[in-house]
Amino acid sequence: MYIKKIIAATALIGLVIAGIFAYTIYGKFLSPNTAFNNDEAHVYIASDATYQDVKAELGPLLKDEESFDQVAKRKGYISNIKAGHFIIKKGSSNNDIVNSIRSGNIPIKISFNNQERLEDLAGRIGQQLEADSTELISAFKDAEFLKGNGFEEETALSMYLPNTYEFYWNTDAKAYRDKMFSEYKRFWTEERKAKAEAQGLTPNEVYVLASIVQKETAKTDERPRVAGVYLNRLHNGWKLDADPTVIYAVKKEANDFDRVIKRVLYKDLETDSPYNTYKYGGLPPGPIFMPDLSAINAVLNPESHQYYFFVADVSNPGYHLFAKTVAQHNANRQQYINWINKQGINR
């Protein structure tokens, strides 16, 4: 009888110890340990992050940092840190959190448009990826890469087609550039190349002309007509005489791309720059802006007409009046000059 009591007591103590152990393990591994109210939290872990960096990133999201620390050590995470963008669900346990940040790198959507220069694009992407703008601009301007793929520094912006793309947050600068080049090659199908050739243009030249078209009109439905005007001029050996190229030339000469120029002056037309299409024939050496796909498609599918001139239509804001002759254009232009003078716009 005595022996049975000892056995029973020992078993009971064992059960208590097992229960305490199970409770401890459950509490550390499996009980919820999030301190945020949203459905999920986004965590970004850098490529060179230490475990202390990870703890600093996670700290505000956890109820109990000490229990997370113990679980992370037991699961070997502290010596196997992964970079990337991770999502932690509300109510996640320490075990769930470690699993998420160890193997759940989730792509993000990267968007860009309306960039004037490579430097602007690098700044825009640097706000969305781990790579900073300095690393990105270095990759964008890499002379060996550009030469090997048919670009120069002046035309390099042509490789970047504005859209929304999917990347891992920790994608480095060269990998980002290389993927964008793959997207560029995918965009330029044989059909699009044939359309460019029909206009006497290369893909890079289409991009350059599209940048001028978009700067001329914000109205997407008008872009094929504006593209038709410039193609008429090119095909007949005329200078483009495009005001946006003069504005770009003035800003480039002054190295001041933050400058706002609403009115082109006669003195601006004398700016000695290959981007000044009043002074030099043909297309400028590179794009003056990042055109969107509607402007590129307008150049590939221009409206066929006999217009050679256009000026802003003050009676229909955003649109233009088109003319076939100098006399007709001068009459249209005068109404615009009268209007802009009345508005007091001198620069």
Side-chain angles (χ1 to χ4, degrees), residues 253-314:
E253 184 182 60
N255 194 28
D256 181 6
F257 285 89
D258 294 325
R259 188 176 181 183
V260 176
I261 300 175
K262 295 183 178 180
R263 184 172 187 173
V264 173
L265 306 178
Y266 285 112
K267 68 176 182 178
D268 298 330
L269 304 183
E270 297 304 316
T271 303
D272 191 10
S273 166
Y275 286 90
N276 181 357
T277 58
Y278 276 85
K279 197 173 186 68
Y280 293 95
L283 290 164
I288 62 170
F289 187 72
M290 177 182 286
D292 61 32
L293 297 185
S294 70
I296 293 173
N297 286 329
V299 175
L300 293 175
N301 304 278
E303 183 179 313
S304 179
H305 54 62
Q306 296 300 312
Y307 295 127
Y308 284 82
F309 309 95
F310 63 95
V311 69
D313 182 357
V314 298

Side-chain angles (χ1 to χ4, degrees), residues 6 18 156 212 308:
I6 292 176
I212 298 172
Y308 284 82

